[in-house]
Structures are given as C-alpha cells and as structure tokens.
Amino acid sequence: MGTALVYHEDMTATRLLWDDPECEIERPERLTAALDRLRKCGLEQRCLRLSAREASEEELGLVHSPEYVSLVRETQVLGKEELQALSGQFDAIYFHPSTFHCARLAVGAALQLVDAVLTGVVQNGFALVRPPGHHSQRAAANGFCVFNNVAIAAAHAKQKHGLQRILIVDWDVHHGQGIQYLFEDDPSVLYFSWHRYEHGRFWPFLRESDADAVGRGQGLGFTVNLPWNQVGMGNADYVAAFLHLLLPLAFEFDPELVLVSAGFDSAIGDPEGQMQATPECFAHLTQLLQVLAGGRVCAMLEGGYHLESLAESVCMTVQTLLGDPAPPLSGPMVPCQSALESIQSVRATQAPYWKSLQLQGHLAGCWATGPHLRLLCSGCDFELSLDVTPVPTSPSTHSPEGRPPPLLSGGPVCKTAASVLSSQLDQLCLHPAPPVCPAVALTAPDITLVLPPDVTQQEGAALNEETEAWARPHESLAQDEALTALGKLLYLLDGMLDGQVSSGMVATPPSAAAATLEVAIQRGLSHGAQRRILWLNIRGKEAAALSMFQVSTPLPVLTGGFLSCILGLVLPLAYGFQPDLVLVALGPAHGLQGPHAALLTSMLRGPAGGRVLALLEEDSTPQLAGILARVLHGEAPPSLGPYSVASPEDAQALMYLRGQLKPQWKMLQCRPHLEA
Ligand code: Q9C
Ligand code: ZN
C-alpha cells in the first residue's frame, strides 16, 4: 500500500493583493517550492497523485457556521478595497477573489486523503494545500486560515467512516487554537499541539494555549498543549517531546487514524518560529507516528515560510511516509532546560487523565553511580538486560593481529550484592571500567530470529577466508551451518556499513548465536572509521547472565510496561547514542510477542538511519521472521492491542535504571534539573 500526494495547481492562485508585512509570507511559492523539490527528489513520482476536489458546503458545515461559509463565498465577487476591508475584521488574514475556491480545494484535498487511507487505497499520504487551516474557527478566519482543513477531515472521519478515536498532531510552530476550540469537549479527538509561546508573549497571545488547557467536560485530557517558552528548540527537544509526552498518550489512546497538522514553521530558518529543528527531524517525527493506528497517517500542510526549509521538510515527511528510513539526526541530542520544563509541566498537568503518565515508581535511595555500572534485577519471568558502554574518547584499540579485542571476554563478572534495593532489585554490581569500545549493548528477553524473506536475501555470501578467520576463535562456529550463517551476516553487515543495504536479517543455529553476535559486533566496530553500535540482546534470563557487562531489568510483559521501557529507556538511549548500526539479537526464550518485537524493531530504525540488523535463531517462527522483515522494510507494525498499565515492579525497576543512566544519557531526562 502506497502514499498519496494530494494537490491542485489552483491552490497557488490566492495571494496578498496589498501591503501587509504580517501576511506577505503566506505566498503561492510555498506550494511550488515544495512540489518542485518533491519532483527533483523523485518522490512525487513514487506517490499516488490525486487531484484535489472542492469540498461541498455541507462538508464545510461539519465545523463552520452557514453564515461564515456564506461570508467567505461572497468574497469571490468583491473588489480589492472591499477584500482588504473585510480582511481587516480578522486577525492575520487576507482574502483574494480565489480564496473561496482555494480554501474549498484545501478542505477537499484533506477529505480525499482521509477517504483514500480509510478505504485502503493507500496506507498514508500528504495533502499539499493552501490556505492552511488550523487557526480557523467555527465562524472566523484567523492566521492565514480560512477553513479548518484538518478539523473537517477529523469530523468527516467520524461521521462518514464511523471512527471513534482520532489523534491530531499539530507540529506547526503556532497553536492551532481553531482545532482546540472545535474539539474541546470531544473525547474522540485527541489534539496535541506544541507551539512557540514564550509565556504568552507570542502570537496568538492566548491564555488557552498554555499547558493547563486540557479540554472540558467529556473531553478533559483530550487537549494537550506543549508551550515552548523559548525559541531555538531543536531536534533533541522535539524528539524528547514525542518520546516522553506525546507517544505515551498516543499509545494509551490507541487512535484509529492520525492526522498531522504539518506546519514547517517549526523548522530551522523559519522567520516565524525561530526554531532549530532540521528537516530530518520531520522524518523522525513522521516515523514515530507511523507506529500508531496501523500506519494510517494523513499529513496536511499548515504553515512553513522559509521556502528551502519548507521544501526540504516536506520531502523528508513524504519520503518517510513512503517507508524510507529517516536520515540520522545531526547535532548533540541534549534537550534544553526550557524544553524539559515545558515537557515536565505538561506531564504533570495531564497525569490525572492518563495512566501512561502515572508510572512513577517510588524508589528511595542513592547509588554510587559511575560511568559504568552493572545491575542485575531478577524476580520475574523475563528480564531486559541493558549494557551501556560509553563512547570512547579514542578510536577502538586493536589487538596485534589487527582485530579489535573481543567484546565479551574480559574480567570476571563482579557481583557485589547489595540488599539496599527494594525486593525487586536484589543485586547490584558495580564493575571496573570495561574495555573501551564504541558500543552500547542492550540485552532483553523476548525476541525471535528469522530467515531473511524477500527483503534482504543475500546470496553472495560464499564462504571465504575472511569468514573462516572470524570464526576460528569460536568453537561454536566450526560447523558448516554456523559458518554459512556467519558468511551471510558478514556480507550483509558490509553492505549495510557501505550503505548499499539499509537493513537486514540473519538466522543462525541456536548454538552459534552468541559467537555470531560477538563477531557481528567486532566486525561492525572494525569496519572503516570509528563505529557506534547499539546492541540489543533479547533473550531469556539464563542467557543474559552470560553476558559480561550489562544492566538488567525485568522485561515488562504488560503493554504499559513494555511501552515505557521502549519510549522511556531504549529509544532515548538510542537517540542519545546516535549509533551507526543497531544489532537486535532475539535469542532463546526471548518471550516477546510478534507485535512487541515488531514495534521495537520498527522504532529502532530511527536512531540509526535505518541500519538495523536483526539476528534471529533458526528455530524462530516464520511469522516472526515475516513481521520483522516487513517492519525493517518500512511497513507499520501491527497494533499492540489494548493498553494495560505497567506493573509496579516494572515501573520501579525502570525508574531505577533511568535514574542511574540519566547523568550520562541526557535524552532520558523528561524533567529539568531541580538542583543546580
Ligand atoms: N510575528 C500559520 O502558520 N502572524 N499561521 C504572527 C508574529 C500570524 C501563522 C506574527 C501568523 C499566522 C498557519
Ligand atoms: Zn504556523
């Protein structure tokens, strides 16, 4: 299933006919610049092109008053002076004789997109429209917006398709107060908006844009405002807002459809927003939303006034909708204090309405934290082990033979028992600094290995001397089958590291899994320049205990615990680490259900530019192999099903681990430093 691109050239007709510095930025070139760039990048050609239709007056009436629709209809025959006079009755609005036609096309485009997605013609899509819509209200134009494209699309999805849960994500830099007003008391529409606010000193200067506007009546908790109180918010701030605020709520809400008020005035270079997020960030935001609602994501253009930044950001969004991996994010992934204050304040304000925000464990106690720590928690059926080795300050050391030292052979496991912890955390081990190596390894129980399906079948993996050389130190790699699997893996790994292949999957005989993984890590680290590898080893408890340096925590089996582990721990670490490669090993007794494994794998494509290599064991089910292959290929993971909260034990273990790691890994933070 593909991606729709809905457009109509007529939407370039409306333009400002008089001098108005505030309105002149909303110009026809916004559409042509974006479309030109989509063509030049070959993206337009990959989409299903739909020509926009005009919305009917009945459709406009889904959210607008008949009087207001008539007023706009009548602007078609007004002269310039009259248009200017009427425009002056609204805030930041200009009318043009073509406005009614253009605005009906913009709404029609949004409706066509929703219809195409909800009837299964396409998986997702982008409506390239103007005028924008999110400021427009029941009986008022506002902020360049005439009809509320996204709000009408949501009302239509409810009325014509019977949807009961629609998520609207408004990543435009302005508050879409029009959408907020229209769905304030409606629990079937969850409206999330972040916006430049500066404590109320930025347009539209509304008290109700602040974090404490949470909806009313039945809709309490279904309006989520994240005000940015400083300009300059960047990639780390936006990703942190998604991981720590929007996504927990969104998974709990479990939408059937995601609508994006896709304004790109929140991107770098925009004169309105003054923010710093790069165009690639919108690829990541899109990818993070694609794990919801079975991937049914409809993005409608809102603002965006820096033509280059707008065009590139639109391309990033469309490319991601098409299933391509998001390019790696640039810059330090450290959210700023002001962003953390905002995020924390919204989490606190919304907590009464959302179980996913109530997962605060309550562990007292301080721990000796060092750059390296080892923690083992047991007491539940599964466990997630997480091995974090900091980024080296010097390139990885090599043994005399030119090989990196084995990652997993080292000093003895240091087990310093500490009964200080609560009953769930029964062992704490701090161990001496592990060998310097640019790898982060996460070990968790519960995943499966699969044979590569159509996606990444690698045939050119003939046994060669190099494979044998890598295998030689490992007894378990002596057998033919193990060698063959290793050959495939090395071939695939080289393809990924050279940029010819994005992602892949390899199945190994169970007895050779550990050694194969070790070789994969060493090979990855020794390939070319310094590499950063994120390694997730997901397996049963016994196996995890063999690993040398690791932090273990129970792998939550309830949906809420699993999600908080992924959103609150694994992804922040991964985004903060900015790996070149992610290795996901699903070992024996990994215990993950297919949808969980698929979600994890899918989301790990983000931090590594899509370079995810899944290692499965040969006795994994074909279903698991298939599902992982599809998500690696860019398909949406299946839904996790109804939300169930994390167990107190899981929440506590997770909170402890996060507390330990936070000083090193800033993306784990979701609240500002309370002390200096
Ligand atoms: N310098 C949209 O992005 N002017 N509308 C604000 C502050 C109005 C923005 C002036 C901006 C309207 C869809
Ligand atoms: Zn805007």
Side-chain angles (χ1 to χ4, degrees), residues 464-511:
N464 56 30
E465 281 173 28
E466 203 202 340
T467 305
E468 282 169 2
W470 281 105
R472 207 163 295 133
H474 304 277
E475 229 171 277
S476 62
L477 294 177
Q479 297 148 344
D480 282 355
E481 288 159 42
L483 266 181
T484 307
L486 184 66
K488 283 186 182 178
L489 173 122
L490 292 175
Y491 185 82
L492 197 47
L493 202 52
D494 283 356
M496 289 170 66
L497 295 170
D498 293 339
Q500 295 143 356
V501 182
S502 173
S503 55
M505 201 163 22
V506 177
T508 62
S511 62

Side-chain angles (χ1 to χ4, degrees), residues 21-152:
E22 190 178 24
C23 290
E24 68 190 7
I25 56 176
E26 203 295 288
R27 27 195 201 110
E29 292 77 16
R30 296 179 58 237
L31 291 192
T32 50
L35 193 61
D36 282 354
R37 183 75 63 105
L38 284 168
R39 290 198 174 129
K40 286 209 184 81
C41 299
L43 293 168
E44 189 224 21
Q45 298 83 332
R46 292 170 60 191
C47 293
L48 174 70
R49 285 292 321 265
L50 296 177
S51 179
R53 67 168 172 92
E54 285 189 323
S56 68
E57 295 208 11
E58 192 188 332
E59 288 165 335
L60 301 178
L62 284 170
V63 314
H64 297 291
S65 71
E67 298 75 21
Y68 174 65
V69 173
S70 299
L71 181 142
V72 181
R73 188 195 317 111
E74 281 152 25
T75 63
Q76 294 179 102
V77 296
L78 298 183
K80 182 172 145 183
E81 314 293 312
E82 296 160 306
L83 287 168
Q84 188 169 2
L86 181 66
S87 301
Q89 294 180 21
F90 299 98
D91 185 5
I93 273 294
Y94 66 84
F95 288 107
H96 180 273
S98 72
T99 292
F100 187 60
H101 177 53
C102 292
R104 283 174 66 187
L105 284 174
V107 174
L111 296 179
Q112 275 172 293
L113 179 52
V114 163
D115 286 340
V117 166
L118 293 180
T119 57
V121 174
V122 289
Q123 168 71 15
N124 58 35
F126 195 98
L128 195 54
V129 301
R130 60 186 287 272
H134 70 153
H135 298 302
S136 137
Q137 298 149 39
R138 178 168 165 79
N142 181 278
F144 317 151
C145 300
V146 177
F147 298 133
N148 202 315
N149 312 318
V150 167
I152 297 171

Side-chain angles (χ1 to χ4, degrees), residues 35 76 87 128 138 153 200 223 290 319 335 346 380 402 436 451 512 516 538 563 570 573 578 585 601 627 630 632:
L35 193 61
Q76 294 179 102
S87 301
L128 195 54
R138 178 168 165 79
T223 294
Q290 283 176 291
Q319 185 168 21
V346 183
C380 81
V436 169
L451 282 167
T516 306
I538 302 176
L563 283 171
V570 176
L573 280 176
Q578 299 177 284
T601 307
I627 201 174
R630 288 194 295 275
L632 286 176

